[in-house]
Amino acid sequence: MENLIETVSLKKSYQPWKKHPVYAVDDVSISIRKGEVLGLVGESGCGKSTLGKALLNLEPITEGKVLYRGKDISRYSFREMRKIRNQMQMVFQNSIDSFNPYLTVRQVVMEPLNNYSKASRQEKETKVRSMLEEVGLGAEYLDRYGSELSGGQRQRVGIARALIMDPEFVICDEAVSALDYAVRNKILRLLYRMKKEKGLTYLFISHDLSAVRQICDRVVVMYMGQVMEILPDLQEETIRHPYTKALLAASLGTDPRDRQKKRVLFKDEASGQTIPQGCPFQNRCLYAREQCKTERPILTMLDEGTHWGACHYIKEL
Ligand code: SF4
């Protein structure tokens, strides 16, 4: 499948002038194929959202490239980005909370059309109504304000707004994390239907591993700004990297057998410490050896084009 968007050795540091700058994103090269849902997982602060924003040029990068349809958009000006902005959208957790509370649902969803489309008022109104139908909200919601909606309804409005310009690439950043189970499943089905019907491509950023399993075609696992593993699914038998195993164990429930797995899979060290060299997971990894302290592991292919891991010992673990 053809790549729609990719990063090449992308780095983002907030203190590039320091001797040992802390990288929120550290030498990340990933690709998102046209029509796929790529999951991006990792603990809070691992750089997932920074990477997502960098893909849309909402965050200036320190080094590297972001290729969209083969062109580097990372240094595009505001004007240049404006030409492709409606093709790339982002849905945040509690999206509509970031909109003006004095705007109605109609105004919120219509805003991108007002900014980017030359359609008539009537055409815009028709499009807004049909988009709201698509996300399962009827015309009775048009004149309501955000405060009059439930969390799930607000999130649907946020999704309708993101999809109204028929983008080809959407980043969902924890888009279902704050929702209760039933609403979350409805939204996941909606996103999946949009992918099937409209050929949408998604980057699905989430710490909800079961949602990632449900919707994603491939998964990228990040730790402290670096890619640890790229794999076709998040099944226990597929995972090879010690960090991904730890992440899965940490997400398990309260079953005593699950707690046992958690205890044996990683050391309970703080995850946010700066690691100047070697593997970023060395302080927590049960398999760490001398080489892990000095040499950064590189992402190596494990299975033909579908599975990659960054660990010196991944083939023997
Ligand atoms: Fe653990 Fe070393 Fe592999 Fe890092 S490189 S995950 S520290 S074994």
Side-chain angles (χ1 to χ4, degrees):
M1 267 198 288
E2 166 197 350
N3 290 339
L4 181 67
I5 191 156
E6 57 195 296
T7 63
V8 182
S9 305
L10 190 126
K11 291 189 181 193
K12 170 69 187 179
S13 165
Y14 291 103
Q15 301 149 320
W17 58 88
K18 283 196 166 179
K19 191 176 173 201
H20 294 298
V22 177
Y23 285 98
V25 179
D26 190 359
D27 206 5
V28 168
S29 298
I30 58 164
S31 56
I32 307 176
R33 300 165 187 161
K34 203 164 167 18
E36 82 167 342
V37 184
L38 183 72
L40 182 57
V41 302
E43 291 159 289
S44 296
C46 73
K48 307 186 295 285
S49 294
T50 307
L51 178 59
K53 286 183 189 154
L55 282 172
L56 299 195
N57 206 357
L58 297 171
E59 183 86 58
I61 64 172
T62 311
E63 280 179 58
K65 291 179 185 172
V66 177
L67 302 178
Y68 172 64
R69 294 187 165 277
K71 288 191 180 149
D72 185 7
I73 60 167
S74 61
R75 271 99 190 165
Y76 267 26
S77 64
F78 178 79
R79 216 186 160 110
E80 288 169 308
M81 274 315 289
R82 197 178 152 81
K83 290 183 193 154
I84 55 169
R85 178 65 74 207
N86 51 20
Q87 289 302 315
M88 312 162 96
Q89 293 292 323
M90 195 154 183
V91 182
F92 302 94
Q93 185 175 1
N94 302 325
S95 297
I96 201 175
D97 290 350
S98 55
F99 304 142
N100 185 335
Y102 299 105
L103 295 183
T104 61
V105 168
R106 174 189 280 106
Q107 289 168 317
V108 168
V109 179
M110 197 179 283
E111 198 178 34
L113 293 174
N114 289 338
N115 289 338
Y116 294 102
S117 163
K118 292 192 172 71
S120 68
R121 173 86 205 169
Q122 188 51 48
E123 286 166 337
K124 288 178 192 170
E125 175 73 18
T126 309
K127 181 113 198 203
V128 168
R129 284 171 181 259
S130 113
M131 198 67 242
L132 283 178
E133 287 289 338
E134 293 261 32
V135 299
L137 297 173
E140 67 272 22
Y141 289 90
L142 281 167
D143 295 314
R144 294 197 194 167
Y145 293 90
S147 59
E148 298 175 274
L149 305 175
S150 69
Q153 289 164 345
R154 286 206 295 271
Q155 202 58 350
R156 281 163 184 248
V157 174
I159 291 169
R161 185 184 193 275
L163 300 183
I164 191 109
M165 294 298 293
D166 291 326
E168 60 177 350
F169 177 54
V170 178
I171 297 183
C172 298
D173 188 357
E174 302 289 0
V176 296
S177 302
L179 305 177
D180 65 52
Y181 191 72
V183 179
R184 160 194 173 277
N185 283 349
K186 271 189 196 164
I187 301 265
L188 289 178
R189 281 199 295 274
L190 167 72
L191 294 174
Y192 192 73
R193 183 164 61 77
M194 294 287 181
K195 163 192 144 104
K196 284 280 170 204
E197 289 174 6
K198 298 182 183 254
L200 271 177
T201 304
Y202 294 101
L203 177 67
F204 189 80
I205 302 173
S206 184
H207 64 261
D208 178 349
L209 300 191
S210 74
V212 170
R213 269 198 217 99
Q214 249 174 284
I215 195 171
C216 296
D217 300 305
R218 290 189 304 140
V219 184
V220 172
V221 182
M222 276 181 82
Y223 184 71
M224 291 180 72
Q226 298 179 30
V227 173
M228 298 285 98
E229 191 166 13
I230 301 176
L231 62 172
D233 59 61
L234 269 184
Q235 300 306 325
E236 205 175 337
E237 52 280 10
T238 312
I239 294 170
R240 303 272 294 277
H241 195 284
Y243 174 63
T244 316
K245 290 181 186 178
L247 193 66
L248 186 75
S251 76
L252 295 172
T254 50
D255 185 306
R257 285 164 301 177
D258 290 347
R259 282 207 297 276
Q260 176 68 10
K261 280 187 198 167
K262 280 187 199 186
R263 200 165 58 75
V264 299
L265 281 175
F266 64 101
K267 296 182 210 164
D268 204 10
E269 300 274 341
S271 61
Q273 307 166 10
T274 307
I275 307 282
Q277 60 179 358
C279 174
F281 192 50
Q282 60 185 270
N283 288 350
R284 300 172 81 193
C285 182
L286 293 179
Y287 310 100
R289 301 176 207 174
E290 273 312 302
Q291 187 188 6
C292 307
K293 294 182 189 159
T294 53
E295 214 177 295
R296 178 172 168 170
I298 54 167
L299 210 52
T300 331
M301 194 192 288
L302 302 172
D303 294 322
E304 197 62 40
T306 61
H307 199 160
W308 302 71
C311 166
H312 297 305
Y313 306 106
I314 201 162
K315 290 187 178 163
E316 52 189 89
L317 293 178

